[in-house]
Amino acid sequence: MAKHQSFAESPLPPFLPFGDEALAETVPTGAGGRLPSYIQDHRKRLRSRFLEGGASAMPDYELLELLLFRAIPRQDVKPLARLLLETFGDFNRVVTAPLSRLLTVKGVGEAVALELHIVGASAQRMMRARVINQPVLSSWDALLDYCHTVMAHRETEQFRILFLDRKNVLIADEEQAKGTVDHVPVYPREVVKRGLELNASAMILVHNHPSGDPTPSDADISMTMQIQDACNALGITLHDHLVIGQGREVSFRSLGYL
């Protein structure tokens, strides 16, 4: 069986070589190491469409192609973009996928994984900038968007705490614990202890359900009640507990638990 030609990574820093991972659909470069004209034209058309219409004018696989152009400058990247979407489901899941899982996809090495992770991290930082040091009540929609960006596509549960001052301004956003696909260990004593350390007056709890269904479990409800009791004893207000699913969230306050 003939050996497939590997993708060529960018010669520019900071990308790293990533070996011989390759797809069967790779296209050899032309004379002198130049891209065949049809690939050059395709890349030019995609860039033009993005500049003229933005991301809304492009399907997910074409937006992924634009990201892959830099990491893989001398090959057709459309097959890899489609494979990534087939593997993870959508654009958001691709750029937030764990590094270990990305590297299992044929054709993905360190250069591609790094490029995707940079995009995911940049998106999260931009969303966080919209809510940190802002009054929560006046930026509630932005806060929900941030929580979904950070947590909705995770494959394991994560528990975060949003700490607020007396004016309900978000002063800190911290990950308190990581767990498995259906459980995250949370210790009420540690939650309120951290609130006291930050001199927080109030908190919002947030965790995700990787199943996509944000309906609170009995364990979620019991844990929240324990944290509320600990907060009440120390004069800290527990505003809400948000459970993030895929495409929607559930508020404990809206459900009448708080």
Side-chain angles (χ1 to χ4, degrees):
M1 180 179 295
K3 183 179 179 180
H4 297 313
Q5 182 177 350
S6 64
F7 284 115
E9 79 275 0
S10 171
L12 299 175
F15 301 112
L16 302 174
F18 51 91
D20 292 327
E21 300 121 332
L23 293 176
E25 298 90 342
T26 59
V27 177
T29 56
R34 292 175 298 179
L35 277 175
S37 60
Y38 75 92
I39 297 181
Q40 292 184 30
D41 292 343
H42 174 68
R43 292 188 172 203
K44 183 177 180 181
R45 285 194 300 270
L46 286 190
R47 289 180 174 123
S48 296
R49 284 175 51 203
F50 180 78
L51 290 173
E52 293 170 4
S56 60
M58 314 184 78
D60 281 358
Y61 78 90
E62 289 185 340
L63 193 60
L64 271 178
E65 283 189 75
L66 287 174
L67 293 180
L68 296 173
F69 286 170
R70 178 174 167 91
I72 306 174
R74 300 188 183 280
Q75 300 290 349
D76 181 8
V77 297
K78 183 185 295 184
L80 179 56
R82 290 188 179 277
L83 179 58
L84 284 165
L85 289 172
E86 290 172 5
T87 302
F88 296 104
D90 61 30
F91 184 89
N92 286 339
R93 289 185 179 90
V94 172
V95 299
T96 58
L99 181 63
S100 58
R101 283 210 61 203
L102 282 172
L103 292 173
T104 66
V105 178
K106 191 175 183 181
V108 172
E110 291 179 354
V112 169
L114 176 61
E115 187 78 358
L116 296 174
H117 266 233
I118 288 172
V119 172
S122 298
Q124 292 182 16
R125 182 159 297 189
M126 289 173 65
M127 298 300 292
R128 186 176 187 273
R130 295 176 57 196
V131 297
I132 198 70
N133 297 323
Q134 298 295 320
V136 166
L137 295 181
S138 63
S139 56
W140 189 251
D141 288 342
L143 182 68
L144 293 179
D145 288 344
Y146 168 65
C147 291
H148 277 278
T149 299
V150 174
M151 304 177 73
H153 302 291
R154 293 179 60 92
E155 297 180 335
T156 57
E157 285 199 13
Q158 180 191 64
F159 183 79
R160 304 184 74 88
I161 311 173
L162 310 179
F163 298 96
L164 315 175
D165 67 10
R166 292 182 180 178
K167 296 182 179 180
N168 285 327
V169 170
L170 181 61
I171 57 175
D173 156 39
E174 297 183 355
E175 177 183 319
Q176 201 268 346
K178 295 179 181 178
T180 63
V181 294
D182 59 1
H183 174 71
V184 61
V186 178
Y187 303 99
R189 183 179 303 174
E190 294 301 315
V191 172
V192 294
K193 177 183 176 182
R194 185 57 178 154
L196 292 174
E197 290 173 351
L198 293 171
N199 196 31
S201 296
M203 299 179 190
I204 297 174
L205 312 178
V206 191
H207 86 280
N208 64 307
H209 280 179
S211 67
D213 180 2
T215 304
S217 66
D218 291 342
D220 293 338
I221 297 169
S222 175
M223 175 265 292
T224 304
M225 297 303 100
Q226 292 177 45
I227 292 177
Q228 184 181 42
D229 289 343
C231 285
N232 289 341
L234 295 172
I236 298 174
T237 301
L238 181 59
H239 279 317
D240 210 339
H241 183 171
L242 302 174
V243 185
I244 305 298
Q246 293 177 10
R248 66 188 184 98
E249 72 286 333
V250 164
S251 160
F252 270 54
R253 183 163 295 280
S254 295
L255 292 176
Y257 291 121
L258 294 173

